[in-house]
Amino acid sequence: MLYLIGLGLAYPEDITVRGLNAVKKCSRVYLEHYTSILMNSTQEELETFYEKKVTLADREMVESGCEEIMADADKLDVAFLVVGDVFGATTHTDLVLRCKQRNIPVEVIHNASIMNAAGACGLQLYNFGQTISMVFFTDSWKPDSWYDKVLENRKIGLHTLVLLDIKVKEPNLESMARGRIVYEPPRYMSIAQCCKQLLEVEETRSLEAYTPNTPCVAISRLGSNKQKFKSGTIKELSEYDSGEPLHSLVILGRQVHELELEYLLEFTDNKESFIKNVKADQEYFKPAPWVPPNQDDDC
């Protein structure tokens, strides 16, 4: 059996009892180590807690056939651990499909992830639209396909969860060109950098999916003892020091409930200014009032 097990957000103890019992009976344990990190846990701490050796599975191992992970999984119990929930990344769906093609039994054990824990900022999960990912821009690569999703969400009044890029065990391109593999130090996108890239793309696309004054809430280190929220506009948060990773951002939609607003006010420095920006934003993309069609006098 191949067990795909969600670990939750921060601590070794965040794993479910069912997940822990599965890990303890597995012959091999892999920890997916490139879509996210377990903030308050080291590999050594996990090994002590599980009483098992844990092998880090980088992008190359997971996406290049998964041969090592699936080896003998039809005869032995193998665990594949994922920070957050198992299906927080499409890569893991691919792993399940590969196992099915080889008749390897798979059992999924779910856990909390940013996709549901984001509600801790006070915004109702029912009011979220499509989630987007913001990657690190380079001088020659500034992808903006996510912009259309934000525009769609905003037009129908829904919040947008923005997942910020992380780079773990990324090869240095110059070294690769010389035939050597040298890995870059880990990098984690900050709230400020994300907001600056949002503003840069809006300036280029100019469809006004959002403005510098669009209200947002920054989410930092969610699920840890250092979690923090910060409400402000995109412009204000582009100058915000969000501290240690991990970070996410929510771009508010037009339909902000009064209870949501009351909660968000706890995280802003200037409540009056934030209320003003939210009210102004509620007029943004507001549907025109319905007008009955013209009818001929003879009808």
Side-chain angles (χ1 to χ4, degrees):
M1 174 81 72
L2 177 65
Y3 290 93
L4 277 72
I5 303 170
L7 297 185
L9 296 168
Y11 298 94
E13 297 84 0
D14 286 348
I15 191 172
T16 64
V17 174
R18 180 165 158 245
L20 181 59
N21 289 337
V23 169
K24 285 185 175 294
K25 70 178 184 178
C26 286
S27 301
R28 301 195 311 275
V29 179
Y30 297 92
L31 172 63
E32 189 262 79
H33 192 61
Y34 64 92
T35 61
S36 190
I37 59 169
L38 206 58
M39 291 177 287
N40 289 60
S41 307
T42 65
Q43 180 182 355
E44 292 74 18
E45 288 171 336
L46 290 178
E47 290 179 333
T48 299
F49 186 67
Y50 300 150
E51 299 178 346
K52 293 280 184 179
K53 181 180 183 300
V54 175
T55 300
L56 297 183
D58 59 17
R59 184 185 299 273
E60 183 179 358
M61 178 187 291
V62 178
E63 294 186 348
S64 300
C66 317
E67 296 300 327
E68 179 180 337
I69 297 169
M70 294 188 297
D72 296 323
D74 55 339
K75 305 179 184 69
L76 305 171
D77 288 325
V78 178
F80 181 71
L81 311 179
V82 180
V83 176
D85 186 58
V86 170
F87 292 120
T90 55
T91 299
H92 310 137
T93 306
D94 181 66
L95 177 57
V96 173
L97 290 173
R98 290 175 183 272
C99 287
K100 289 184 176 182
Q101 292 167 0
R102 299 189 179 196
N103 295 316
I104 297 173
V106 174
E107 183 171 335
V108 175
I109 302 176
H110 295 285
N111 209 320
S113 77
I114 183 62
M115 302 293 286
N116 54 20
C121 72
L123 297 174
Q124 298 170 7
L125 293 178
Y126 298 105
N127 295 333
F128 278 70
Q130 303 170 89
T131 297
I132 67 167
S133 296
M134 179 68 71
V135 302
F136 284 105
F137 285 179
T138 68
D139 292 339
S140 59
W141 189 61
K142 299 181 180 182
D144 63 357
S145 57
W146 47 264
Y147 182 88
D148 298 311
K149 293 183 179 181
V150 178
L151 182 60
E152 290 172 3
N153 288 345
R154 296 270 293 157
K155 282 185 174 180
I156 57 177
L158 300 180
H159 310 312
T160 303
L161 175 62
V162 186
L163 304 178
L164 276 56
D165 198 8
I166 73 171
K167 297 291 187 185
V168 179
K169 202 177 178 183
E170 291 289 320
N172 179 279
L173 298 181
E174 292 184 5
S175 297
M176 286 182 66
R178 297 189 182 99
R180 294 190 306 120
I181 301 296
V182 177
Y183 294 105
E184 299 279 4
R187 289 193 297 152
Y188 307 93
M189 183 178 289
S190 67
I191 295 296
Q193 184 167 3
C194 174
C195 289
K196 288 173 183 174
Q197 292 185 183
L198 282 170
L199 295 173
E200 182 179 351
V201 170
E202 176 55 53
E203 186 175 345
T204 302
R205 296 290 295 270
S206 300
L207 297 177
E208 295 189 339
Y210 46 83
T211 73
N213 292 324
T214 296
C216 298
V217 57
I219 302 174
S220 299
R221 300 168 294 279
L222 183 61
S224 78
N225 60 345
K226 297 180 180 179
Q227 76 174 22
K228 186 175 181 180
F229 307 103
K230 184 71 171 181
S231 302
T233 65
I234 296 178
K235 176 61 177 174
E236 290 168 345
L237 294 177
S238 71
E239 301 170 358
Y240 169 56
D241 181 0
S242 50
E244 299 174 7
L246 296 169
H247 308 290
S248 301
L249 181 77
V250 182
I251 304 172
L252 270 61
R254 179 182 70 250
Q255 303 179 64
V256 179
H257 190 275
E258 59 183 21
L259 291 179
E260 291 180 303
L261 178 56
E262 182 179 351
Y263 209 100
L264 292 174
L265 289 177
E266 298 298 315
F267 312 132
T268 187
D269 295 330
N270 189 328
K271 294 184 179 182
E272 291 185 4
S273 176
F274 190 74
I275 292 172
K276 178 181 177 182
N277 285 317
V278 169
K279 288 185 175 179
D281 196 65
Q282 287 178 338
E283 299 300 315
Y284 210 68
F285 293 129
K286 189 172 184 179
W290 182 78
V291 178
N294 293 328
Q295 295 182 351
D296 295 332
D297 294 338
D298 296 335
C299 295

